């Protein structure tokens, strides 16, 4: 028997006919990158994970993020935060930041995307997010992590919260 709450998959509207090349999901929000590098978000953004202002902090249809200065290549989501890798190699983050997972030296939310200054010039090629921490890999094979270091999740040999990206020494550039 099928639950009365289940609905069949439906096409997401509001993307203006754009082709989607990447989708990322936080606990309460969905985001996508289109073939032309635009980022759209929808869902609930109680901690700012939508990346834009919404009167009720939620959006039932995708909204275009206009705060990013370059085309997005990919996205990664943690529990309530988002990271975007742009085609110029910059990483931008927004959403919940209580554990340092945004990399901005702040411990509160960012409702609009902000550049992760500690990664400028690093030629980032990959990003990833855990629940309350984030990571980036550079073209040279270096790995940087930041956020909640519980259980040694950041790879620095301790359990310390890192507010800004720090290179994991064990991955010092080997490919």
């Amino acid at each position: 028997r099928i639950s009365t709450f289940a609905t069949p998959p439906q096409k997401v509207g509001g993307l203006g006919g754009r082709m989607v090349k990447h989708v990322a999901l936080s606990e309460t929000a969905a985001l996508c990158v289109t073939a032309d590098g635009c980022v759209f978000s929808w869902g609930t953004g109680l901690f700012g994970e939508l990346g834009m202002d919404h009167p009720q902090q939620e959006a039932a249809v995708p909204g275009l993020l206009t705060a990013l200065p370059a085309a997005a290549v990919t996205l990664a989501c943690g529990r309530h935060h988002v990271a975007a890798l742009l085609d110029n190699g910059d990483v931008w983050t927004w959403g919940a930041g209580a554990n340092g997972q945004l990399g901005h030296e702040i411990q509160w939310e960012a409702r609009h995307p902000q550049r992760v200054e500690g990664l400028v010039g690093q030629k980032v090629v990959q990003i990833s997010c855990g629940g309350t921490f984030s990571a980036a890999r550079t073209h040279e094979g270096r790995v940087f992590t930041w956020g909640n270091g519980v259980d040694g999740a950041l790879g620095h040999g301790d359990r310390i919260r890192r507010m800004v990206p720090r290179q994991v020494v064990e991955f010092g550039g080997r490919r």
Side-chain angles (χ1 to χ4, degrees), residues 158-173:
D158 56 32
R159 297 169 187 255
I160 296 172
R161 179 184 307 163
R162 308 278 180 199
M163 301 304 291
V164 295
R166 179 176 177 198
Q167 185 175 345
V168 179
V169 184
E170 286 74 15
F171 302 114

Side-chain angles (χ1 to χ4, degrees), residues 31 48-51 65 68 75 81-82 84 92-96 102 110 112-113:
L31 297 96
E49 54 265 60
L50 297 181
L65 242 93
L68 297 173
L75 299 167
H81 74 288
V82 180
W92 288 60
T93 59
W94 61 94
L102 300 180
H112 299 280

